[in-house]
Amino acid sequence: MSQNPSKTFRLHKKKCKSRGSLHLSSNSTFIEQIIRFGVGMDVHRDTVVVCICAQTAQNEIIVVKQHSFRNVPTGLQEMMNFLKKYRPISHYLMECTGIYHRPVYHALERAFPQEKEKIIAMNPLLVHRRLTDLGNKHDKADAQRMAELSFYDKLLRPSYVGDPQFFHLRDCLRSYTRSRQDSTRFKNRIHRVLCSIHFMYKFDLGKEWSLQILDYWIHHGGVFQNAFQALLLHMIEEGMPILILQKHSDDFAPFASVSLTRESTFNLAQLLQQFLEVERHAAQYLLQTEQFILSDAEFTTNYQALLTIPCMGPVSALQILTEVGDFRRFRDWRAFAKFCGVVPEIKESGSSINKGHVNRYTNAHLRRSLVQIANLIINGKASRTDLDEFATKQYHSRKLPFKKACMKVAFKLSRIVYNILVKNIQYDPHYEQTQQKMQKLLRRKARTGTLLQSAQVRALRKDIGRFFVNHHEHLNSKSRFLLTRGFTQMIDKVNKKDLNDKDTK
């Protein structure tokens, strides 16, 4: 054979590739059969790969054109001019790729203002879950698969992008979170350096007195005991309070003879300076975010309403507001809870229903905030409220593991947040307890004709109160809790007995 087989294969492959893209100007019959076009875009840092697919009257999907554009302002303008001749459009579909997709998304909004609802930036996990394997993975194949997927309206689930101003506000608070994480790292490094010279006491660098001691020791050097005594004398001369230092003097006694080396002094000075700088940046991020929230009337109202939830601090409330964005886009509280990441994945097959881990298509920042609040509630920081009663039921009565109990409480918190933001319901921390009390009184009135307890129950309550007063010096917290629980069960039993006696009469 005179012809090279490998060369023949390459030529054949090249011819097949050239027939893959159809030109609209060369086939008028093909143009008449087109119902709509779908656009898929694979966005990268430097390039945007665009694929145009067409749906024909025979319900076939055909690749029309593939092209790559530079991800720069001039390249995006060329891409907008390129897309204007493909009408009508099913959807413009792209993946959420960190921040690279945002300029493309906003450029499409400006170029096609009447088709904003057709511009969809979708979660990459959901995109690849919908797609089937069409061969080797590369940019053009990804763009083609997204263009084909754009025709299936019910499979598309757009992610929230928001305007650039809101994006920078959310990024500002996320920078605060990262600064707090860096602050913790510097604290651990400072403790590591101190442990290397056998100073095992861990300073709480969130306290001013700890920073004063460490800074004085670094700048004066020598033995820790001498630096500590010199700091006390300096504070006395300046008229500053020294009670907190005297209170911790016994904790420092085992390390009185520890001294800093030259290398450890330099290392501690650098780490302490970096720690203070990170703390300053974190405070500025938080202050700037709150100032923007308070400058908007609706944000301010929602911010103050969220603070009525037990254990909800200002930072958690700001994080919820900046992460949720347009909270009216959720169809109900179930969709909001799923977005918060506090519901498990459910796998159902026949009669068997299995609940797995929390789903991955969620906002991790929201989930962390709600779980931290739930952790405080389970640990008793919201005593005598509805949430405290619910957490006690999950963790102590039902004996769920701590993590599962946290997710249950976080799920309830997500419903409360949804009702506050969307339905403008004023939250009452004791609403459920009040309702239970009223229902109990109404049941008593229906059975006995009065809201008063029986004479026997009132006498029993007086005897119990007298018992606690007379023997308070012999009771500790545990025995008092057990006696109260037992006496409550006794009163409930007497109440039921009185009601049963009146029913039989």
Side-chain angles (χ1 to χ4, degrees):
M1 294 179 64
S2 60
Q3 195 173 11
N4 189 353
S6 61
K7 185 176 180 181
T8 305
F9 173 76
R10 289 195 297 271
L11 291 174
H12 178 68
K13 185 177 180 182
K14 186 177 180 181
K15 290 180 181 179
C16 293
K17 185 177 180 180
S18 65
R19 290 197 299 268
S21 298
L22 300 177
H23 298 280
L24 297 182
S25 60
S26 62
N27 195 341
S28 60
T29 308
F30 176 70
I31 297 175
E32 295 174 357
Q33 294 177 351
I34 292 177
I35 298 176
R36 56 180 180 170
F37 293 96
V39 180
M41 289 171 281
D42 194 25
V43 183
H44 300 275
R45 184 191 66 180
D46 301 322
T47 59
V48 181
V49 181
V50 180
C51 178
I52 311 293
C53 284
Q55 183 181 9
T56 64
Q58 292 77 22
N59 204 21
E60 295 181 359
I61 297 176
I62 301 173
V63 178
V64 177
K65 186 72 174 177
Q66 288 183 341
H67 197 73
S68 296
F69 298 90
R70 295 177 61 196
N71 195 357
V72 294
T74 56
L76 292 184
Q77 186 60 42
E78 292 177 4
M79 187 176 72
M80 298 304 116
N81 297 331
F82 171 76
L83 294 175
K84 284 180 181 179
K85 59 183 177 181
Y86 296 101
R87 290 291 181 278
I89 283 292
S90 170
H91 289 95
Y92 301 94
L93 181 61
M94 70 187 79
E95 294 178 344
C96 293
T97 54
I99 59 173
Y100 300 138
H101 73 284
R102 298 187 62 84
V104 180
Y105 185 93
H106 294 304
L108 287 170
E109 283 186 329
R110 291 190 297 269
F112 310 108
Q114 290 80 19
E115 299 174 345
K116 284 187 177 182
E117 69 279 357
K118 296 182 179 180
I119 305 171
I120 293 180
M122 197 167 170
N123 191 322
L125 295 173
L126 293 177
V127 172
H128 291 289
R129 187 179 181 183
R130 302 290 194 267
L131 297 177
T132 57
D133 187 11
L134 297 180
N136 296 329
K137 182 188 183 304
H138 50 85
D139 296 344
K140 291 186 177 180
D142 289 345
Q144 178 183 342
R145 288 196 289 263
M146 282 188 282
E148 294 171 356
L149 181 63
S150 66
F151 295 108
Y152 299 91
D153 300 349
K154 293 185 178 180
L155 296 181
L156 301 179
R157 290 174 54 189
S159 297
Y160 178 70
V161 177
D163 56 2
Q165 186 179 14
F166 176 78
F167 171 78
H168 292 302
L169 175 66
R170 183 176 62 184
D171 198 53
C172 186
L173 196 60
R174 288 185 180 181
S175 299
Y176 163 77
T177 303
R178 287 191 288 270
S179 297
R180 297 297 300 168
Q181 293 172 353
D182 293 338
S183 173
T184 303
R185 293 191 188 99
F186 285 123
K187 286 181 183 179
N188 294 334
R189 290 178 185 175
I190 290 173
H191 181 63
R192 183 173 179 270
V193 173
L194 291 174
C195 289
S196 67
I197 59 173
H198 212 206
F199 189 92
M200 300 302 179
Y201 182 82
K202 189 170 185 178
F203 287 105
D204 184 4
L205 297 181
K207 308 287 184 169
E208 185 66 26
W209 62 269
S210 296
L211 291 172
Q212 288 177 345
I213 294 176
L214 191 58
D215 183 67
Y216 211 82
W217 191 18
I218 290 172
H219 286 86
H220 289 78
V223 180
F224 178 78
Q225 181 66 25
N226 296 338
F228 183 71
Q229 294 296 334
L231 177 61
L232 285 177
L233 293 175
H234 173 73
M235 294 179 69
I236 292 173
E237 292 175 358
E238 296 291 332
M240 302 170 63
I242 61 171
L243 182 62
I244 188 68
L245 295 181
Q246 293 176 343
K247 182 179 178 181
H248 288 84
S249 60
D250 294 337
D251 299 332
F252 298 137
F255 315 107
S257 59
V258 178
S259 60
L260 292 173
T261 62
R262 193 174 82 175
E263 293 80 6
S264 61
T265 301
F266 173 77
N267 203 355
L268 282 175
Q270 296 299 318
L271 289 174
L272 186 61
Q273 182 178 0
Q274 292 175 356
F275 167 76
L276 294 175
E277 188 70 16
V278 168
E279 285 285 305
R280 185 177 65 84
H281 287 314
Q284 290 178 348
Y285 281 131
L286 189 61
L287 182 61
Q288 183 66 28
T289 305
E290 189 182 41
Q291 287 178 352
F292 180 84
I293 292 293
L294 294 177
S295 64
D296 186 88
E298 185 180 11
F299 270 137
T300 303
T301 303
N302 293 329
Y303 181 44
Q304 294 173 351
L306 288 177
L307 291 178
T308 60
I309 301 175
C311 298
M312 176 77 74
V315 178
S316 299
L318 290 174
Q319 194 157 26
I320 289 173
L321 289 175
T322 54
E323 292 296 335
V324 172
D326 183 13
F327 46 80
R328 298 180 184 87
R329 70 184 189 273
F330 301 101
R331 65 180 183 274
D332 54 16
W333 63 267
R334 294 179 181 84
F336 180 75
K338 187 175 181 180
F339 175 76
C340 294
V342 293
V343 292
E345 287 184 340
I346 298 177
K347 297 179 180 179
E348 182 177 355
S349 177
S351 60
S352 87
I353 300 176
N354 296 322
K355 294 183 178 180
H357 298 285
V358 293
N359 59 72
R360 298 166 61 193
Y361 319 113
T362 59
N363 190 305
H365 302 276
L366 267 178
R367 182 172 63 247
R368 181 172 58 248
S369 294
L370 293 177
V371 169
Q372 287 175 351
I373 299 171
N375 195 338
L376 293 174
I377 293 172
I378 291 178
N379 288 321
K381 302 299 183 181
S383 59
R384 299 182 180 180
T385 60
D386 296 340
L387 286 171
D388 179 60
E389 186 175 349
F390 179 79
T392 303
K393 179 181 178 182
Q394 302 300 321
Y395 188 51
H396 296 286
S397 302
R398 296 182 61 189
K399 299 188 182 301
L400 291 178
F402 185 79
K403 290 184 178 180
K404 284 190 176 181
C406 271
M407 296 308 295
K408 289 283 186 182
V409 179
F411 177 65
K412 187 177 180 67
L413 281 170
S414 68
R415 286 183 289 170
I416 294 172
V417 171
Y418 177 82
N419 288 324
I420 289 176
L421 295 180
V422 179
K423 298 184 178 180
N424 295 324
I425 296 176
Q426 187 176 2
Y427 179 68
D428 181 9
H430 307 282
Y431 176 79
E432 294 179 2
Q433 295 178 0
T434 306
Q435 290 297 111
Q436 291 175 1
K437 182 178 179 180
M438 291 304 299
Q439 290 174 4
K440 185 176 180 181
L441 291 174
L442 291 175
R443 286 197 301 268
R444 181 185 297 168
K445 182 181 178 182
R447 290 193 176 188
T448 63
T450 178
L451 297 177
L452 297 175
Q453 293 180 336
S454 65
Q456 185 179 1
V457 174
R458 293 199 297 270
L460 182 60
R461 285 185 178 276
K462 288 182 180 179
D463 293 340
I464 293 172
R466 193 178 299 111
F467 173 81
F468 278 112
V469 171
N470 295 335
H471 301 87
H472 69 278
E473 68 274 6
H474 304 297
L475 300 175
N476 55 22
S477 59
K478 184 176 180 180
S479 60
R480 191 179 293 108
F481 169 76
L482 294 174
L483 285 172
T484 304
R485 186 175 180 181
F487 286 142
T488 303
Q489 293 176 356
M490 185 188 301
I491 293 172
D492 292 339
K493 190 174 181 180
V494 173
N495 273 325
K496 290 180 181 179
K497 184 175 181 300
D498 290 344
L499 293 174
N500 291 334
D501 291 344
K502 292 192 177 185
D503 289 341
T504 54
K505 291 180 182 179

